[in-house]
Amino acid sequence: MLLRNTKVAIIGAGPVGLTMAKLLQQGGATAIVYERDVNAAARIWGGTLDLHKKTGQRALKKAGLLDQYFALSTAMGIKFADQRGTILVTKTPTAESQYDNPEINRNALRTMLLQSLLPGTIHWNKRLTTLETSDRKWILGFLDHTQAAVDVVILADGGLSKMRHFVTETSVEETGSFIVQGDVSNPEINCPELYRLCDEHRLMVAYGGYLLVINPLNNGTMTYGLVFKKPAEWSGHHPLDFNNRLAVIEYFSEQLDGWSDLYKGLFKVTEKFVVLPTRKLPLHNTWKSNRPLPITCIGDAAHLMPPFAGMGVNIGLLDAMILSENLTERNFASINDAIFDYEQQMFVYASAASKQSSENEMKMHDAGFQFQTLME
C-alpha cells in the first residue's frame, strides 16, 4: 500500500475532511485531522445539507455510513411561492424519491462522522499557521505553538484555505452575489403563519431581484437565506452594519418592496444575521507540479463554487472517495502519482459543477427569472 508507514494530516474537520479520514482509516492508513474548533461541541452554523446519489451518497456508502445518513436525514419537498405568499407549485417526496437527496443537519452529520473514526483521530483547537518542510517531512505549526511532523498534507479547510498556495496560486473571486442568512428558533411560535405555509417543505420565493430560500426543519430551527445581487452603491464595501440587528431589519424591510409581511416578519424574529458574499475558486489545470512533498486540496479548498446548485459538499465528498481509493486501493508508482490522477479527474467533474452553479446564479439575477429554469 502506498501509505504504509506514512502519516497523513487532514486540515479541517468539516464533512469532507472527516469523510476523507474515515475512508483512509478504512483502507488501513494513518490519518490525523487537525481542526481549529475548540472541541466536538462547537456548533456548526448554517443550513442543512442534502447529499446526492451520484456523489455524496456514493462516498458515504463507501464509508459504510449511508444507512446512518438516511436515519438522521429528512426527505423534504419544496414549495415555490410568489411574493404575496401564494403557493405556485408543490413538490412532495414520494416513496421512490425519498432517498434521492434528504436533508441533514450539519451538526448531526459531523457527529455521525466523528463517531465513525478511531479514538484520537481529531486534534482539536489546532489552527494551522505555518507549513514548512524538514528532513522529508511536512512540519505543521499551530497557533498554540505546537508542531506536528507528517508525510502527506490534505487541505480540507474550506474556500479561504491559508495554505492552498502550496498547491495553486489561483485566487478566490467574488461572484457578485450576497447571501444574508438567519435562524429563527421555535418557528412554530415565532413565525407560525410562515411555518404553516412551509408545511415541512422548503420554500422558495423570487421577486424583484431577490431570492428567499427557507428550511423550516433544521433541528428545531427555521433557517433561511436571502440572495441578491451586490448593489452598485456597495462597490468595494457594504455600508450596512450586519451586527446592527435593527438596521438590517429596517434595510431589508424597505428593499423587499411588494413582498408580503409574511416574509418580512422573518427578519423581526431573527436574533443574528450573517452576510456572506458568494465566492468561487476558478479551476485551472495549472496546479503546481513542483510541490516539495505530497500535498493537495479537497472540497471547497479545491473548488469553491457558488451554492446555487447544491453541489459544493457533494463534489467535496466525491473528492474524498476518489483520492482515498487512489491512495489505498489502486496501484500507483508513488503518492504524488495518485494525487495527480485524483486532481485530473477532479478538474473535470468539479468544473462542470461550478459551471452549473454559476449559470444558476446568473439566471436568478435575470429580471425574467422563473423557478423552473433551475429545475431543467
Side-chain angles (χ1 to χ4, degrees):
M1 185 179 73
L2 281 176
L3 297 182
R4 184 175 290 108
N5 300 320
T6 300
K7 182 181 289 188
V8 180
I10 300 167
I11 311 302
V16 175
L18 294 178
T19 302
M20 185 77 218
K22 169 62 176 176
L23 292 170
L24 287 179
Q25 290 182 348
Q26 190 170 275
T30 300
I32 301 295
V33 179
Y34 296 94
E35 168 55 42
R36 65 181 182 179
D37 282 350
V38 175
N39 54 45
R43 178 178 180 269
I44 307 172
W45 194 89
T48 55
L49 297 170
D50 61 314
L51 305 186
H52 303 172
K53 279 189 171 182
K54 295 182 179 180
T55 49
Q57 289 187 31
R58 281 180 62 198
L60 289 191
K61 183 177 181 179
K62 180 82 175 183
L65 299 171
L66 188 58
D67 287 342
Q68 290 186 50
Y69 161 65
F70 287 144
L72 293 168
S73 59
T74 302
M76 294 186 69
I78 186 167
K79 289 186 174 185
F80 301 104
D82 66 15
Q83 76 280 10
R84 296 180 296 272
T86 301
I87 300 299
L88 305 174
V89 178
T90 298
K91 295 190 175 185
T92 300
T94 65
E96 293 76 22
S97 67
Q98 62 179 318
Y99 298 115
D100 285 355
N101 56 339
E103 305 274 344
I104 188 169
N105 175 268
R106 292 170 185 261
N107 296 280
L109 179 60
R110 174 185 256 191
T111 299
M112 180 191 80
L113 290 166
L114 287 174
Q115 292 175 347
S116 75
L117 297 172
L118 297 175
T121 298
I122 314 297
H123 291 206
W124 298 100
N125 200 22
K126 294 294 182 181
R127 183 184 291 269
L128 184 65
T129 56
T130 60
L131 189 57
E132 301 173 343
T133 60
S134 178
D135 295 328
R136 302 300 300 167
K137 297 281 187 181
W138 285 109
I139 308 300
L140 285 61
F142 301 98
L143 187 62
D144 62 1
H145 304 296
T146 60
Q147 292 185 328
V150 301
D151 303 288
V152 180
V153 172
I154 299 175
L155 300 172
D157 50 346
L160 301 181
S161 172
K162 301 298 184 184
M163 301 299 166
R164 185 170 46 222
H165 59 88
F166 282 94
V167 179
T168 174
E169 296 292 350
T170 307
S171 298
V172 169
E173 301 173 359
E174 291 193 5
T175 70
S177 295
F178 273 78
I179 303 177
V180 176
Q181 294 185 340
D183 285 349
V184 177
S185 58
N186 302 313
E188 67 279 9
I189 297 173
N190 290 318
C191 50
E193 190 177 355
L194 184 57
Y195 183 75
R196 287 193 297 270
L197 183 67
C198 291
D199 189 26
E200 300 188 352
H201 290 65
R202 288 173 294 154
L203 186 71
M204 291 182 66
V205 188
Y207 182 72
Y210 285 85
L211 173 68
L212 178 63
V213 182
I214 302 171
N215 183 340
L217 302 178
N218 188 6
N219 196 27
T221 299
M222 176 179 281
T223 304
Y224 67 90
L226 183 68
V227 184
F228 59 98
K229 191 172 184 178
K230 181 178 179 179
E233 61 270 22
W234 286 19
S235 179
H237 69 287
H238 54 82
L240 186 61
D241 180 5
F242 282 91
N243 292 317
N244 185 333
R245 178 174 170 273
L246 294 179
V248 174
I249 293 171
E250 180 180 3
Y251 179 82
F252 284 107
S253 294
E254 293 177 355
Q255 292 298 309
L256 295 181
D257 185 43
W259 287 63
S260 167
D261 289 340
L262 182 70
Y263 305 123
K264 295 181 182 180
L266 266 177
F267 304 119
K268 297 178 181 179
V269 291
T270 300
E271 297 180 358
K272 177 185 176 182
F273 297 96
V274 175
V275 59
L276 302 170
T278 66
R279 301 182 173 100
K280 65 180 179 181
L281 181 71
L283 276 173
H284 307 292
N285 292 18
T286 54
W287 281 15
K288 294 181 178 179
S289 59
N290 58 340
R291 303 168 209 176
L293 289 172
I295 183 172
T296 192
C297 303
I298 59 176
D300 284 352
H303 43 64
L304 180 65
M305 63 186 71
F308 302 123
M311 297 293 285
V313 70
N314 283 284
I315 296 301
L317 293 176
L318 186 60
D319 295 343
M321 187 186 76
I322 291 173
L323 179 58
S324 65
E325 287 177 345
N326 280 9
L327 291 171
T328 63
E329 298 178 15
R330 299 184 62 191
N331 294 319
F332 288 95
S334 68
I335 294 173
N336 281 331
D337 286 347
I339 288 174
F340 179 80
D341 179 83
Y342 145 70
E343 290 174 355
Q344 297 311 300
Q345 293 186 62
M346 180 271 294
F347 289 139
V348 176
Y349 61 72
S351 293
S354 184
K355 182 175 183 289
Q356 181 182 345
S357 297
S358 295
E359 288 175 350
N360 284 353
E361 181 178 15
M362 289 188 289
K363 289 176 183 177
M364 286 187 290
H365 293 320
D366 190 296
F369 169 77
Q370 294 182 336
F371 288 120
Q372 55 264 35
T373 63
L374 295 186
M375 309 301 291
E376 293 174 353

